[in-house]
């Protein structure tokens, strides 16, 4: 992990300008390596936050009494932060794994530079919701095949075909545990976002 | 209290997403707070406004944001409070001049709106990541 940003920020009052904040979303299916990816390059240990879903049900029990049940379901997601020169803070937000939580993605994606969709070639179908989501909203995204155990088991061309990815979507190998590899993935996203400006 | 919660279909994700952090937020529900970005940074204002009467959750937020710039997401993680709750509390604290929300880019709820992402910004980000 890199060193903490040196921002004595708030101590001497209003004169300090807040860092400029940018973010990149790390998406993909359950256990594909999102948290590992974020942790490989974040300045801070990945933090975990959640949105709460409160589900209420009212019923009648056997004795005729009213029962009230409140179920808290929480959708966890984690994120990291990287301080870049020029007072830039880059946040990496991992999406909740299961696609039943797609409704939360707008919050994560709003204002993002782009996204990395992580893929485990053993479970290709798990990335379909993410690919569909970003394609549908014209959000720049790359697909990164996470090489579990450092082994690429499939040719990228085959993965591209299996996913039905258009030629415009960059497809790379990565290793979620390796900072050098995750750094390249982030660079690819930013480069894509720049190309899209043209 | 029960009336504050609409019974929702357990198997319908959209309906189930009824965040009503009623007690913690003092009855205020998300409205403009919804537009507060997860990555928006806040800092506690330094005038030393008395915090008497504030809830422990609000005091905790002010304490965290007095030390450094804090994003809404980080406050949520450190306070172990759901994002929706923190958004409401932060908005409330800002309205009452306890803290400052540092706007990142023009707030737009449209996911497709990319107007805040400029070439010079992307160049800085690219150079920064490449130098890591
Ligand atoms: N061998 C290997 N294990 C990995 C790799 N990436 C993730 N893992 C492991 O796979 C599991 C799930 O990873 P995690 O990052 O939590 O996935 P997430 O659910 O997408 O956040 C963890 O036990 C990781 O240690 C990888 O590239 N190689
Ligand atoms: Mg995870």
């Amino acid at each position: 992990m890199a060193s903490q940003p040196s921002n004595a920020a708030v101590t001497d009052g209003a004169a300090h300008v807040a860092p400029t904040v940018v973010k990149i979303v790390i998406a993909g299916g359950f256990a594909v390596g999102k948290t590992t990816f974020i942790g490989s390059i974040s300045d801070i240990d990945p933090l975990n936050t959640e949105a709460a879903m409160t589900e209420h049900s009212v019923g009648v029990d056997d004795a005729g009494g009213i029962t009230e049940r409140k179920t808290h379901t929480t959708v966890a997601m984690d994120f990291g932060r990287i301080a870049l020169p020029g007072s830039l803070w880059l946040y990496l937000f991992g999406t909740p794994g299961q696609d039943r939580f797609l409704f939360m993605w707008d919050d994560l994606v709003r204002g993002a530079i782009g996204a990395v969709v992580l893929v485990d070639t053993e479970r290709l179908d798990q990335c379909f919701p993410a690919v569909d989501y970003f394609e549908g909203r014209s959000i720049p995204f790359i697909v990164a095949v996470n090489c579990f155990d450092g082994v690429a088991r499939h040719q990228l061309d085959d993965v591209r075909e299996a996913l039905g990815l258009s030629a415009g979507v960059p497809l790379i190998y990565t290793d979620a545990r390796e900072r050098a590899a995750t750094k390249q993935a982030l660079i690819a996203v930013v480069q894509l976002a720049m190309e899209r400006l043209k | 209290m029960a009336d504050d919660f609409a019974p929702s279909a357990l198997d319908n994700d959209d309906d189930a997403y009824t965040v009503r952090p009623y007690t913690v937020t003092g009855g205020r529900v998300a409205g403009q707070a919804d537009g507060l970005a997860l990555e928006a940074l806040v800092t506690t204002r330094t005038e030393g406004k008395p915090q008497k009467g504030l809830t422990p959750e609000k005091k905790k937020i002010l304490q965290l944001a007095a030390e450094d710039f804090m994003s809404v997401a980080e406050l949520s993680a450190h306070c172990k409070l759901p994002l929706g709750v923190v958004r409401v509390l932060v908005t409330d604290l800002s309205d009452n001049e306890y803290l400052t929300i540092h706007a990142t880019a023009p707030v737009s709820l449209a996911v497709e709106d990319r107007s805040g992402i400029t070439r010079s910004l992307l160049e800085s980000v690219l150079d920064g990541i490449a130098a890591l």
Side-chain angles (χ1 to χ4, degrees):
Chain A
M1 296 208 185
S3 58
Q4 286 287 334
S6 61
N7 47 305
V10 197
T11 37
D12 59 9
H16 274 92
V17 179
T20 301
V21 169
V22 289
K23 64 178 170 179
I24 292 175
V25 173
I26 313 300
F30 181 69
V32 73
K34 299 181 295 295
T35 306
T36 307
F37 183 111
I38 292 167
S40 75
I41 197 162
S42 174
D43 291 339
I44 56 174
D45 282 332
L47 289 169
N48 193 267
T49 187
E50 47 192 38
M53 299 192 294
T54 308
E55 299 168 316
H56 244 72
S57 55
V58 178
V60 180
D61 66 21
D62 292 343
I66 303 290
T67 61
E68 195 195 328
R69 247 189 7 176
K70 192 163 81 168
T71 323
H72 284 290
T73 310
T74 53
V75 189
M77 53 172 218
D78 28 47
F79 62 96
R81 192 186 76 197
I82 309 166
L84 302 176
S87 191
L88 267 175
W89 281 9
L90 169 62
Y91 281 90
L92 302 179
F93 281 101
T95 59
Q98 305 92 319
D99 35 319
R100 71 180 281 248
F101 300 129
L102 266 172
F103 68 90
M104 257 195 77
W105 286 32
D106 285 0
D107 257 2
L108 301 178
V109 172
R110 191 173 292 127
I113 289 174
V116 177
V117 176
L118 281 178
V119 172
D120 175 354
T121 50
E122 303 303 305
R123 296 169 297 149
L124 272 186
D125 55 314
Q126 289 216 5
C127 76
F128 290 150
V131 169
D132 288 347
Y133 179 94
F134 296 117
E135 263 178 356
R137 288 159 187 80
S138 304
I139 307 288
F141 71 99
I142 68 158
V143 176
V145 175
N146 191 17
C147 299
F148 281 83
D149 308 315
V151 180
R153 294 201 174 76
H154 300 265
Q155 295 291 319
L156 289 181
D157 284 346
D158 297 337
V159 175
R160 182 179 294 280
E161 197 182 322
L163 292 179
L165 284 183
S166 70
V169 179
L171 177 62
I172 63 170
Y173 291 117
T174 195
D175 183 334
R177 298 164 303 173
E178 287 296 328
R179 179 184 164 90
T182 53
K183 175 179 154 179
Q184 287 310 315
L186 296 180
I187 286 175
V189 175
V190 182
Q191 284 174 334
L192 180 66
M194 289 178 83
E195 282 166 29
R196 292 283 184 84
L197 285 177
K198 281 168 194 158
Chain B
M1 187 69 195
D3 286 344
D4 294 319
F5 297 89
S8 58
L10 288 170
D11 54 358
N12 182 321
D13 286 335
D14 290 332
D15 288 347
Y17 189 57
T18 50
V19 180
R20 301 280 171 89
Y22 195 86
T23 44
V24 182
T25 58
R28 203 181 143 149
V29 292
Q32 67 196 104
D34 286 341
L36 190 55
L38 307 186
E39 67 277 16
L41 299 178
V42 307
T43 43
T44 300
R45 292 174 65 156
T46 49
E47 300 94 283
K49 204 174 159 179
Q51 298 185 5
K52 225 177 96 212
L54 292 183
T55 61
E57 290 83 3
K58 284 184 173 172
K59 285 181 181 161
K60 174 87 178 167
I61 288 173
L62 292 177
Q63 184 200 327
L64 287 164
E67 290 158 19
D68 201 347
F69 291 103
M70 276 282 157
S71 64
V72 171
E74 277 162 294
L75 289 171
S76 166
H78 291 309
C79 295
K80 299 194 179 3
L81 288 171
L83 279 168
V85 174
V86 171
R87 280 174 152 161
V88 172
L89 296 179
V90 163
T91 305
D92 205 39
L93 285 167
S94 166
D95 288 351
N96 290 295
E97 304 181 342
Y98 284 100
L99 56 72
T100 305
I101 300 172
H102 304 278
T104 43
V107 179
S108 164
L109 287 176
V111 173
E112 291 84 354
D113 180 4
R114 301 181 55 77
S115 53
I117 300 163
T118 62
R119 174 166 304 278
S120 65
L121 179 64
L122 290 176
E123 276 166 1
S124 303
V125 174
L126 187 61
D127 292 347
I129 297 173
L132 283 176

